[in-house]
Amino acid sequence: MPPPVSEEIAAAYASGLALPPVQEPSTSPIVSFIGDSYTQGTGSSSKDVRWSTLVARQLGWDELNLGRGGTGYVTTAARAGCGLETCPAYPDMLAQAAGPNVTTVVVSGGYNDFKTFASDPASVTEAINKTFDGLRAAMPSAKIVAVGPSSPGTVTESIVAMDLAVQAAAAKVGAQYISLLEPNVTTKEMLSEDGVHVNDAGHKAIADRVAAVLAAG
């Protein structure tokens, strides 16, 4: 005896309506993105044109977006920043990022840590190392990508030093590093109305830089 069908399907057969096609499971790689409001998509006109989604589309990935506004390697956020009751710093996002079917993790950001790094670089550097060391321990065979911080304004010596700290931490665990500062990928003309986040042009510029480096291997 064939298995029973729902009343909705039986009615569709009876009326001659075409049934919707069965969705095949995706075979695309699942890629996690840890990041701040830029990764979350703030400033873009829609999530479809945020930089992480553009990269995923270009490279044929299924995106798991874990961007949380207001966060960083040491910086946490609350509802005003990320839209949730509380959002942890990057080291505490690793368990969510390292899912069972995730093949790649992209870590991006650092803007929200600039002030702390300027006054206490050791604490931020420690958190950067903790993030990448923790990812590698959790995902020994996964691809890890470190996208350095961006700054549409003046790139200070402190910002460069933090970018170098990300680069060093990535190298230590065999992660691929991508600079957004050499040359600076964003400009003041790409800022949205809030003066902090980039607009669609800025998101596209970041996406083009990241996708080009990844595609080149």
Side-chain angles (χ1 to χ4, degrees), residues 16-184:
L17 293 176
L19 294 174
V22 176
Q23 295 294 322
E24 295 294 333
S26 174
T27 58
S28 300
I30 299 174
V31 179
S32 298
F33 288 81
I34 297 174
D36 53 24
S37 54
Y38 276 49
T39 301
Q40 194 172 16
T42 305
S44 64
S45 58
S46 77
K47 291 182 178 180
D48 287 340
V49 293
R50 63 187 173 191
W51 76 266
S52 59
T53 303
L54 293 174
V55 169
R57 188 178 304 129
Q58 287 185 54
L59 299 180
W61 293 347
D62 282 344
E63 175 190 12
L64 174 59
N65 190 295
L66 300 173
R68 302 290 184 265
T71 66
Y73 289 98
V74 297
T75 308
T76 60
R79 189 168 297 281
C82 65
L84 301 174
E85 194 66 31
T86 181
C87 289
Y90 292 0
D92 293 323
M93 293 293 292
L94 304 188
Q96 293 184 59
N101 297 313
V102 172
T103 62
T104 301
V105 179
V106 180
V107 183
S108 176
Y111 181 93
N112 296 310
D113 298 316
F114 283 169
K115 288 184 178 179
T116 304
F117 189 90
S119 61
D120 185 11
S123 68
V124 179
T125 300
E126 181 182 1
I128 292 170
N129 285 317
K130 183 178 180 181
T131 298
F132 290 101
D133 289 348
L135 268 179
R136 179 54 74 209
M139 307 179 73
S141 60
K143 182 178 180 64
I144 300 173
V145 180
V147 180
S150 63
S151 175
T154 302
V155 179
T156 64
E157 290 184 5
S158 178
I159 292 174
V160 172
M162 182 174 167
D163 187 51
L164 290 172
V166 173
Q167 184 176 2
K172 187 172 64 170
V173 300
Q176 184 174 8
Y177 161 78
I178 301 175
S179 173
L180 298 184
L181 299 179
E182 297 178 0
N184 197 352

Side-chain angles (χ1 to χ4, degrees), residues 38 150-154 180 183-192 195-199 201-203 205-206:
Y38 276 49
S150 63
S151 175
T154 302
L180 298 184
N184 197 352
V185 72
T186 55
T187 65
K188 291 182 179 179
E189 290 72 30
M190 295 176 180
L191 286 173
S192 60
V196 175
H197 301 96
V198 291
N199 56 21
H203 278 273
I206 295 172

